[in-house]
Structure formats: C-alpha cells, structure tokens
Amino acid sequence: MTDLRAVITDLDGTLLNDRGYVHPDDLKTLSKLREHGVRTLIATGRHPDLFRFYLPRLGPMDAVVACNGTLLYDPSRDAGEVLDQFTAGQLERLDRFCRREGLYFNYYTSASPYFCRRDPRLSADGRSVEMHKNFFIRSGIRSYEEWKGMPEEPVVKASIPTLLPEQMDRLRGEFGDLTLELYHSPCCVEMEPPDCGKGPGLKKAAQRLRFPLEKTLVIGDSSNDISMFRAAGFAAAPANVSPEAEPYIAYRGTDNNHAPITDIVRHFAPELLR
C-alpha cells in the first residue's frame, strides 16, 4: 500500500489513446482519486488552448503543468501563471538559425500558441491543427507569416516541427544553454528557457498546492517526462514508454490504449480504487 497524495499524468501517449481520447476506466480512476483526497494534475507540453477542451470530461483537475513546465494553469480560474519565459535575444537567435537552415518554428505565448503559416498541419483557415490521426483540434490558433520580433505576451515555449538529423545536431550545438526536448522519429524539437522542464514545473506546483513530492506518483511516456520522474517519489509509464524514459520508471503498465492510469494506480495503491 502506497500513501499517495498526488497523481500527475502526461497527456499524449499516456492519458490519451492513439485516437486522442481518454479510456472510460481512467476517467473513473481520476474520480476515485479525488474522492480519496488525492490531488490530480496534468503535465504536458501542450498550451492551454490545445488541452482546455479535454478538461470538462476529466473532472476538476487541480492544476496543469503546461508547455513543458513554463506555465502553471489553474482550470478553476482558466488562468495560467508564467513560470519562465524566453528573452528577446534567445528568440532572435532561434529566428536566425531557422532562416539559415530553411526551417520554421512555432511559438507559444502565455496567451496563445502561434503556428507558422508554413506548418502543414494548419488548415486553410488556420484554425484546425491535426494532432492525432484523423483527430482535429478546433480552437483559435493564431498563425503568422514571418517572425517579426517579440509579441506583447511572454513567450514560454518554441518548437521546430521538422528538421533533419544533421540540423538537430547543429541546433544542439548552438542552443545548449536552452532546455531542448529532442524527438528522433520524426526529427523535431521543443525548446524552453534554461533549466525548465516538467520536473521544475512540478516542484513549483507542489509548493503552490502543498503536496509532498515524495508521496507523488507521476506517469508519462517520453523523454520530456524524465525530469518529473526524477522529481517525484514514484514514477511509472504505459507500455509504449520511449527507450529514453524507461530507465527512470519503477513500473510499466498497460499501453495508452488500455487504461494505463487505472493499471498503474492499481499497482501502487489498489485501495484508492475501491
């Protein structure tokens, strides 16, 4: 029996199945956890505009560590607290790199995600972004034609959706001072300010909500979850966990299509499901 005070789950590849939906058993498990007084949170690389529509189904989540730890979102107030942000110089460097390499980047401010008009996931009206197979998000995603300097709101995250392996190597060499989340299939990168990540974001959430990290279970599937695996007392993943993240977990549950949150909670604290 494990004395859990909080359960934090990643979204894509963990709580969400391959079609972008949540298993009914996992919805029941989240509800059961709250009945037992356990805090429930999400930790995701997404911006609130790209996950807000899920929240009514999930029930009253305590908080969301968003944009890979740079934004702490309060669902009850529909408001986000900026935990860190890029400087103008850092974004100018990124713009110069992308122009030189023939790439484009998307960026996320505290208020909205901005997708470059060249991003093939944008529909003709710039409002629909394909995030899963045949699954579309319809929200007010803004697009931009060309980077023209800092927007009014703080920029908390940037991403380069497609680049070649050799470009990724050059990016790593030039931006070692930033937090880089590298994905190799396909090659893409998410970028945050220095010393950011889900782990630091989780620590700040624990301070705000007053739950002990040593009694916290975190669940994720990818390399951007490693920092929160290290920060919490208990770490687990669905069966589809990436090779980079697997060494940091204590338990591997069912895959993201078969209610992994329920399986993992049953492993660590079965009494919470009664």
Side-chain angles (χ1 to χ4, degrees), residues 21-63:
Y21 296 100
V22 182
H23 196 286
D25 288 352
D26 283 348
L27 293 175
K28 294 175 186 175
T29 293
L30 291 173
S31 179
K32 281 284 188 183
L33 290 171
R34 288 188 286 265
E35 288 176 13
H36 286 277
V38 177
R39 296 278 198 183
T40 56
L41 293 83
I42 292 169
T44 179
R46 293 195 192 201
H47 188 278
D49 280 3
L50 302 179
F51 64 70
R52 187 182 285 109
F53 56 93
Y54 283 114
L55 296 178
R57 255 201 107 189
L58 297 180
M61 306 296 287
D62 289 288

Side-chain angles (χ1 to χ4, degrees), residues 48-170:
D49 280 3
L50 302 179
F51 64 70
R52 187 182 285 109
F53 56 93
Y54 283 114
L55 296 178
R57 255 201 107 189
L58 297 180
M61 306 296 287
D62 289 288
V64 181
V65 177
C67 295
N68 283 332
T70 58
L71 199 65
L72 184 59
Y73 176 78
D74 181 351
S76 67
R77 298 189 300 114
D78 190 22
E81 174 190 355
V82 175
L83 301 179
D84 211 335
Q85 65 190 80
F86 285 107
T87 65
Q90 289 165 344
L91 288 167
E92 287 166 2
R93 285 170 54 207
L94 176 60
D95 179 51
R96 287 196 299 270
F97 176 86
C98 287
R99 288 175 188 271
R100 188 180 75 230
E101 297 285 343
L103 300 169
Y104 65 91
F105 68 97
N106 299 327
Y107 68 95
Y108 300 67
T109 73
S110 56
S112 178
Y114 288 77
F115 281 64
C116 180
R117 180 56 80 175
R118 291 166 58 192
D119 192 318
R121 295 172 298 176
L122 282 177
S123 68
D125 64 0
R127 287 184 169 270
S128 300
V129 181
E130 184 177 5
M131 300 294 287
H132 299 276
K133 305 166 191 166
N134 303 317
F135 183 77
F136 290 84
I137 295 172
R138 288 178 176 82
S139 57
I141 295 169
R142 304 174 194 177
S143 62
Y144 74 96
E145 295 288 349
E146 184 178 327
W147 179 252
K148 300 184 188 302
M150 291 284 284
E152 292 182 4
E153 309 95 3
V155 177
V156 297
K157 176 186 168 182
S159 66
I160 303 176
T162 54
L163 67 169
L164 298 172
E166 55 267 29
Q167 291 174 317
M168 184 179 283
D169 290 339
R170 289 193 289 271

Side-chain angles (χ1 to χ4, degrees), residues 146-267:
E146 184 178 327
W147 179 252
K148 300 184 188 302
M150 291 284 284
E152 292 182 4
E153 309 95 3
V155 177
V156 297
K157 176 186 168 182
S159 66
I160 303 176
T162 54
L163 67 169
L164 298 172
E166 55 267 29
Q167 291 174 317
M168 184 179 283
D169 290 339
R170 289 193 289 271
L171 180 106
R172 188 189 290 112
E174 291 192 32
F175 293 91
D177 57 317
L178 301 183
T179 303
L180 304 179
E181 309 290 353
L182 305 173
Y183 303 93
H184 297 275
S185 183
C187 284
C188 61
V189 63
E190 295 181 343
M191 310 174 70
E192 294 87 39
D195 302 317
C196 286
K198 290 185 180 181
L202 172 59
K203 290 177 182 178
K204 292 175 182 176
Q207 293 172 355
R208 304 285 196 282
L209 297 175
R210 300 180 182 275
F211 61 83
L213 286 170
E214 66 273 13
K215 295 184 178 181
T216 295
L217 167 64
V218 295
I219 308 170
D221 72 305
S222 193
S223 58
N224 68 338
D225 298 310
I226 292 172
S227 65
M228 73 170 181
F229 290 158
R230 289 171 164 168
F234 306 94
N240 49 287
V241 61
S242 71
E244 300 86 359
E246 188 171 10
Y248 298 91
I249 61 170
Y251 178 72
R252 182 174 177 173
T254 55
D255 66 46
N256 65 311
N257 293 309
H258 296 91
I261 311 305
T262 302
D263 179 59
I264 290 166
V265 171
R266 183 180 294 117
H267 173 79

